[in-house]
Amino acid sequence: MTETNTPLGLMTQRGPTVLWNDSATYHELETAISWGAVGATCNPVIALAAIRSDLPRWTQRIKELAVEMPEATESEIGWKVVEEVSLDAAKLLEPAFEKYNGYNGRLSMQTDPRLARSAKKLADQAEYFSSLAPNIIVKIPATGIGVEAIEDATYRGVNINVTVSFTVAQAVATGEAIERGLKRREAEGKDVSTMGPVVTIMVGRLDDWLKQVYAKDGLVFDPGYLEWAGVAAVKKAHEEFKKRGLRARVLVAAYRNALQWTELVGGDLVLSPPFAWQQRFQASGIDPEPRIDLPVDPKIIDALYTMPEFRKAYDVDGMTPAEFADFGATRKTLRQFLGADEELDQIVRDILIPAP
């Protein structure tokens, strides 16, 4: 039962803003659901954490999969485990999926970052993941190739959660790609009534990147302003989505501060904090008021705007799709996700071929 008198419970009861859980770890998702969560996000790092949280169980399952799939590579076995972790979590969200007719109640599975150079391979894997359970939503990165894959997969009927996305330009380009995919389906008489696509902005990872640039470039404006960069990007993207009539919702992930909660309540968007941040929000005693439409202080925007990297992130035309893959936060995140793939391969290897 949802705890309606808690900070997160109050947020989810009063308006269109909904809570998802940025974790597929079973007990964390169970608890988040009790606080009002109606969806969950996952990525290679999060899936790896979920496997490590119950390693004895997954060690046994990896051994079984090696027998069931005698010709499979370490990577194929690892990704089969990721599928099973995801399906466990998806079952917890089935009640919300039914209640919201597909608009919420979805578990995110992320496409393999090693496929990021091929739009067709990304769309094909997205379609496969979507077939595993009715309430799966699939992550595709917001690169130029990803934009192509997002439109194609949406047209095929896949619910998309855009990921590796940090900027207004990425959000708008991918939101419009989703819209094109939806319209192509509608033109052919195909159903879109149960589709619930979202476009993520990884607010904290944008802040992390700008802080790195701030230090490298020796800048001296108030460093506290950097805590507002991701918030400003979300507010701008949310405004643009409404202005353009885009049906995808903005989803906020990768939290680093409480502003990324309190400043973003009130709109038709998804807040997906990591479980540890949800615990902090629940303990805060804050009664969140709608603030999504309140602009960030112009003096903060003016200071941030002196940074070319912030202009790339904040302006609708700050980057072209061809430039998305080279944005600093994109490169850092893709490398981290690729590293998680390698770590999962290593876990499988250590189980199947123990060191002597």
Side-chain angles (χ1 to χ4, degrees):
M1 180 176 294
T2 303
E3 300 177 24
T4 57
N5 60 342
T6 62
L8 292 175
L10 289 169
M11 179 191 80
T12 59
Q13 291 295 313
R14 287 178 176 167
T17 307
V18 298
L19 174 69
W20 287 17
N21 185 57
D22 199 14
S23 164
T25 300
Y26 197 86
H27 75 274
E28 292 182 353
L29 180 54
E30 275 190 315
T31 304
I33 289 171
S34 77
W35 295 340
V38 291
T41 51
C42 194
N43 61 42
V45 176
I46 292 170
L48 189 62
I51 291 165
R52 284 179 168 152
S53 73
D54 195 1
L55 194 53
R57 172 193 174 187
W58 294 113
T59 295
Q60 180 58 36
R61 185 63 186 132
I62 287 168
K63 291 178 180 178
E64 293 169 355
L65 286 168
V67 175
E68 296 170 16
M69 305 163 60
E71 297 184 4
T73 65
E74 294 162 351
S75 180
E76 288 168 340
I77 292 171
W79 274 86
K80 183 59 69 174
V81 172
V82 170
E83 288 182 23
E84 295 186 6
V85 168
S86 301
L87 292 176
D88 278 356
K91 290 184 187 302
L92 289 174
L93 293 165
E94 286 176 354
F97 180 72
E98 294 173 3
K99 176 181 177 181
Y100 289 94
N101 194 36
Y103 198 56
N104 291 302
R106 294 187 178 275
L107 185 283
S108 299
M109 292 184 67
Q110 182 154 333
T111 48
D112 188 337
R114 288 171 289 201
L115 304 180
R117 292 165 56 83
S118 169
K120 183 179 186 305
K121 288 179 180 178
L122 287 171
D124 287 348
Q125 189 177 59
E127 187 173 24
Y128 166 68
F129 284 164
S130 183
S131 73
L132 296 176
N135 63 330
I136 294 294
I137 188 169
V138 185
K139 287 185 169 183
I140 295 178
T143 61
I145 289 170
V147 170
E148 297 177 41
I150 286 162
E151 179 178 345
D152 183 17
T154 300
Y155 167 69
R156 299 188 202 186
V158 179
N159 286 272
I160 295 297
N161 177 353
V162 175
T163 190
V164 194
S165 175
F166 318 89
T167 70
V168 178
Q170 286 173 296
V172 169
T174 54
E176 290 185 335
I178 289 169
E179 195 66 24
R180 290 193 297 271
L182 292 173
K183 287 179 177 178
R184 287 170 59 194
R185 285 185 63 79
E186 289 172 321
E188 296 180 9
K190 296 176 179 176
D191 185 33
V192 300
S193 65
T194 62
M195 296 181 72
V198 295
V199 175
T200 293
I201 293 182
M202 305 176 91
V203 282
R205 288 177 180 264
L206 173 59
D207 291 359
D208 292 346
W209 171 240
L210 294 179
K211 289 173 185 176
Q212 182 176 332
V213 173
Y214 177 92
K216 177 175 68 71
D217 291 352
L219 301 178
V220 293
F221 63 76
D222 186 339
Y225 292 174
L226 295 165
E227 304 295 333
W228 288 88
V231 168
V234 171
K235 286 177 181 276
K236 180 79 166 287
H238 178 257
E239 179 184 348
E240 285 293 328
F241 274 42
K242 289 194 297 182
K243 185 187 303 183
R244 295 163 186 258
L246 302 181
R247 283 173 280 185
R249 288 174 291 174
V250 174
L251 182 149
V252 185
Y255 281 60
R256 301 293 189 268
N257 63 48
L259 295 172
Q260 294 160 354
W261 170 44
T262 57
E263 285 291 322
L264 303 176
V265 173
D268 185 14
L269 73 169
V270 179
L271 304 187
S272 185
F275 184 72
W277 273 105
Q278 290 184 52
Q279 290 176 306
R280 292 171 70 169
F281 296 158
Q282 285 292 76
S284 70
I286 292 172
D287 186 353
E289 297 293 330
R291 296 184 61 83
I292 185 66
D293 294 323
L294 298 181
V296 175
D297 188 332
K299 73 178 181 182
I300 295 176
I301 299 296
D302 288 345
L304 291 170
Y305 210 72
T306 63
M307 303 177 69
E309 290 299 286
F310 178 74
R311 295 199 293 273
K312 290 180 184 178
Y314 188 68
D315 291 346
V316 175
D317 59 354
M319 291 185 291
T320 66
E323 296 172 312
F324 292 164
D326 199 44
F327 187 59
T330 301
R331 287 187 279 118
K332 288 183 68 175
T333 301
L334 282 174
R335 287 181 62 86
Q336 185 183 17
F337 288 173
L338 288 163
D341 269 351
E342 292 169 2
E343 288 185 53
L344 181 55
D345 287 352
Q346 186 65 56
I347 288 174
V348 175
R349 185 177 308 129
D350 289 343
I351 291 168
L352 300 185
I353 313 172

